[in-house]
Amino acid sequence: MNQLTQLWTKLSWAQRIWIAAAIAAAIGGIAALKNWNDERDFKPLFSGLAPEDAGAVTAKLRETGVQYRLAAEGSEILVPSAHVAEARLQLASSGLPKTGRIGFELFDKANFGASDFTEQVNYHRAIEGELERSVMSIGEVEQARVHITMAKDSLYTEQRQPAKASILVKLRHAAALSPQNVAAICQLTASAVPGLQVDQVSLVDTNGNLLNRPRFTANGDADQDSQASIEYRKTVEHDLQTKIAQTLEPLLGAQHFRAGVSADVDLTSGEQSEESYDPQKSAIASSQTTQDGPALASASGVPGTASNVPNATAKASSGASATNYARHTENVNYQTSRVVRHTKLPQGAIKRLSVSVLVDHALRWQGQNKIIEPPPPEKLKVIRDLVGAATGLDMNRGDQLVVDAFPFEATLMAEPETFDSAPTAIGPQMPPWLQKLVGNKNPAVLAGIGGGVLVALLALPVVILLRSGKGKKIAAAEVTRAIEAAKPNEPAAAPSLEQSAHAQLVAQAAEQAQKNAAALAQLKLPTGTANKAEVLTKHIAGEAKKEPAQVAQVVRSWLHGNG
């Protein structure tokens, strides 16, 4: 300690200030680093909270003594990572967050003093809150607000009002609701409210766009089913095109035909009742029988002996009783046979189909000449029969099928295949540097390169010998030696086709070089370097034009042997 004191007293004031500043900076840096580390440990507890939910959650955190931070303009709450799970469980036990407005929790506590109007208002609020939670459970929706107008009943028809609903949604970043999602939200809302129809629901986003905008017909009337009709028609056409493609691809190839389908679909539906009678068939519906005739004899008169004695004289009677009469009547009703049918017309039946198939022309090459041939009529007939069977065409209902052939743009602009200069299994491989230089050149280009190389090699010794004044024999011998020296060292095996062509070309070049040297020697030109080179150049160029492939192969073999 004394040493530190002595050291401090020996320092000047400037040194003491610098040391104090360094110590303060170090302490401040350590404190800032600790604070940064502590803040980095805060993790999101909840995000995307409504203001009322965020206030309730922060109040609960203050009660429990958990530190928290607010982010994203108060919609996100951060807590230390060690308390995230515990804080969520505590808040869940308290019913937080409530995700917007309260639902049917309003009726958890009974309020016996509430009036009927208050109960209706609470019921209204509960339905709106529950619908908001349901809509917000969709992944693309961040927040939602639901407003409902209940149906108004009345004894008078003109005073009745249907139920209506309005939904405001806030979508997540870079998210969008598909038509299926929009229809699902509208259907969900209509099913939860008594008397609410789907066409009475309006869905709007926070940008003011009406998401379930109705489509209008030519008369200006809203057609709610038009979108579904268009989608169903597209589905039918796509299925038919897929069938055509799967049928024709093995026959023509995927890029050699195009098919189009137009379907006229009947989307009306209903029920039909039919009752018919058959006069040829009849049956007894009812029968009634009545009998008429004399009545049976019966005892009559004054009671006693006289009336019971046989063969007693009957006294005349008066009126109806004097007529002993009975009637017999039979009535039979017949009814013809009757048939009653109830038919439900299906929706989505195909009324008419129009199919078109365009077939590409065939392409073949004859040398460098392009030949385009249309498909024969027999092939077009087969295609027509296959397409008609695959799509189920019925000409009686007015279906139409058009199959035509026309050359495609790719066929008209097709180019011949380029010559591949890469060596095959026959012959030696070229050096890599020469492969990069030559690339995909045709034989004429390779022959030109080979001719130039041969001209340079053959003309140089001839010119030197002739300028030195030696005879034609020495020049010819030197030329032959130079040509033979350019030949690759090949094993003593049976000569192949390539080797034979090489030897023949070298022999012809040596013989012609000797003739040219003799002719130039007889001319006795003083300095004929340019003329000699010109003669040799013409000769080798002519040979290259006659046999370009052989010259190219010779040059390739020579370069490989000297590489």
Side-chain angles (χ1 to χ4, degrees):
M1 189 66 184
N2 294 330
Q3 294 178 355
L4 293 175
T5 304
Q6 293 176 1
L7 181 61
W8 178 260
T9 55
K10 292 179 180 180
L11 297 175
S12 62
W13 285 104
Q15 293 176 343
R16 294 176 181 178
I17 293 174
W18 279 107
I19 292 175
I23 294 174
I27 295 174
I30 293 173
L33 182 62
K34 182 179 181 304
N35 183 50
W36 173 79
N37 188 42
D38 294 341
E39 293 294 332
R40 186 185 62 172
D41 188 54
F42 279 79
K43 302 297 180 183
L45 179 64
F46 294 108
S47 59
L49 293 175
E52 53 269 21
D53 291 337
V57 170
T58 54
K60 188 66 177 179
L61 292 176
R62 281 195 296 268
E63 292 179 3
T64 56
V66 178
Q67 297 181 358
Y68 65 89
R69 300 288 187 272
L70 297 179
E73 298 180 356
S75 62
E76 185 177 9
I77 300 177
L78 309 175
V79 297
S81 58
H83 298 85
V84 171
E86 182 182 358
R88 285 179 180 173
L89 293 176
Q90 291 179 354
L91 293 173
S93 62
S94 302
L96 296 175
K98 298 180 180 179
T99 317
R101 284 188 286 180
I102 301 176
F104 281 102
E105 309 87 77
L106 282 170
F107 301 98
D108 290 344
K109 297 180 180 179
N111 187 4
F112 297 102
S115 61
D116 185 39
F117 176 77
T118 303
E119 293 291 336
Q120 291 295 329
V121 171
N122 289 337
Y123 176 72
H124 194 167
R125 292 174 55 195
I127 291 181
E128 291 179 347
E130 294 294 337
L131 284 175
E132 287 180 5
R133 295 177 182 178
S134 301
V135 174
M136 290 175 62
S137 62
I138 299 176
E140 291 80 3
V141 179
E142 182 178 353
Q143 293 183 4
R145 295 280 293 178
V146 179
H147 305 280
I148 297 175
T149 301
M150 292 297 183
K152 182 179 180 181
D153 296 331
S154 177
L155 295 176
Y156 302 98
T157 305
E158 61 274 6
Q159 294 183 359
R160 295 177 183 175
Q161 295 181 1
K164 300 179 182 180
S166 301
I167 305 174
L168 179 67
V169 293
K170 179 181 179 182
L171 303 179
R172 300 186 186 277
H173 179 67
L177 288 177
S178 63
Q180 292 80 5
N181 297 139
V182 173
I185 292 175
C186 296
Q187 187 68 38
L188 173 68
T189 306
S191 302
V193 179
L196 179 61
Q197 302 296 327
V198 178
D199 57 351
Q200 298 296 327
V201 180
S202 299
L203 182 61
V204 186
D205 62 5
T206 52
N207 295 325
N209 299 321
L210 182 61
L211 302 181
N212 62 334
R213 184 186 304 275
R215 295 181 179 270
F216 294 90
T217 60
N219 299 328
D221 300 330
D223 185 9
Q224 299 294 336
D225 298 332
S226 60
Q227 182 66 25
S229 304
I230 294 174
E231 293 296 333
Y232 179 75
R233 179 179 177 180
K234 289 181 178 179
T235 302
V236 172
E237 295 175 351
H238 181 267
D239 292 342
L240 293 176
Q241 286 181 345
T242 303
K243 291 181 180 179
I244 296 174
Q246 292 176 352
T247 304
L248 297 182
E249 278 184 6
L251 178 63
L252 303 176
Q255 302 300 327
H256 296 286
F257 74 94
R258 293 293 182 271
V261 179
S262 177
D264 187 5
V265 183
D266 185 9
L267 295 173
T268 60
S269 63
E271 294 183 359
Q272 181 180 2
S273 299
E274 181 182 0
E275 185 175 356
S276 60
Y277 293 89
D278 188 359
Q280 302 298 330
K281 297 180 181 180
S282 60
I284 298 176
S286 62
S287 177
Q288 184 178 2
T289 303
T290 304
Q291 294 181 353
D292 293 337
L296 297 176
S298 59
S300 62
V302 179
T305 303
S307 61
N308 293 321
V309 174
N311 299 325
T313 302
K315 296 182 179 180
S317 59
S318 60
S321 60
T323 306
N324 191 7
Y325 176 78
R327 182 177 60 182
H328 175 78
T329 304
E330 183 177 359
N331 185 13
V332 180
N333 294 328
Y334 292 89
Q335 187 173 2
T336 59
S337 177
R338 184 182 67 166
V339 178
V340 179
R341 293 187 181 91
H342 294 281
T343 305
K344 185 175 183 181
L345 301 178
Q347 186 178 15
I350 297 178
K351 296 194 299 184
R352 186 172 179 270
L353 283 179
S354 297
V355 182
S356 63
V357 179
L358 183 62
V359 183
D360 190 12
H361 283 193
L363 173 65
R364 64 184 181 89
W365 294 93
Q366 189 173 6
Q368 296 295 324
N369 298 327
K370 182 193 307 182
I371 300 177
I372 299 177
E373 299 177 346
E378 296 80 9
K379 188 174 183 179
L380 293 179
K381 183 179 182 303
V382 171
I383 294 174
R384 184 178 292 104
D385 295 340
L386 290 176
V387 173
T391 56
L393 291 178
D394 186 3
M395 298 304 175
N396 296 327
R397 67 183 179 187
D399 293 352
Q400 183 180 7
L401 174 61
V402 178
V403 178
D404 202 351
F406 195 82
F408 289 0
E409 185 70 19
T411 303
L412 296 175
M413 302 301 295
E415 296 292 339
E417 297 181 358
T418 57
F419 176 76
D420 190 5
S421 63
T424 58
I426 301 176
Q429 300 288 335
M430 285 193 299
W433 63 270
L434 184 59
Q435 293 180 3
K436 295 181 180 179
L437 178 62
V438 174
N440 294 327
K441 303 296 184 182
N442 54 28
V445 177
L446 289 176
I449 298 174
V453 174
L454 288 177
V455 167
L457 292 176
L458 297 177
L460 182 60
V462 173
V463 172
I464 295 175
L465 290 174
L466 291 176
R467 292 186 63 181
S468 63
K470 295 183 179 180
K472 59 181 181 180
K473 294 182 180 180
I474 300 175
E478 291 296 332
V479 171
T480 304
R481 190 181 300 107
I483 294 175
E484 292 295 330
K487 295 174 60 178
N489 297 326
E490 298 177 355
S496 62
L497 179 62
E498 176 191 354
Q499 294 171 352
S500 300
H502 177 216
Q504 182 180 0
L505 184 60
V506 169
Q508 293 177 359
E511 182 180 358
Q512 190 65 31
Q514 292 177 0
K515 293 180 181 180
N516 293 337
L520 290 173
Q522 291 177 0
L523 291 176
K524 297 181 181 179
L525 295 175
T527 54
T529 306
N531 293 333
K532 302 166 191 176
E534 183 179 357
V535 172
L536 291 175
T537 302
K538 290 182 179 180
H539 169 67
I540 297 177
E543 293 295 332
K545 291 181 180 179
K546 293 179 182 178
E547 301 292 339
Q550 294 182 2
V551 173
Q553 191 65 30
V554 169
V555 175
R556 190 181 298 120
S557 303
W558 177 82
L559 291 174
H560 177 75
N562 289 274

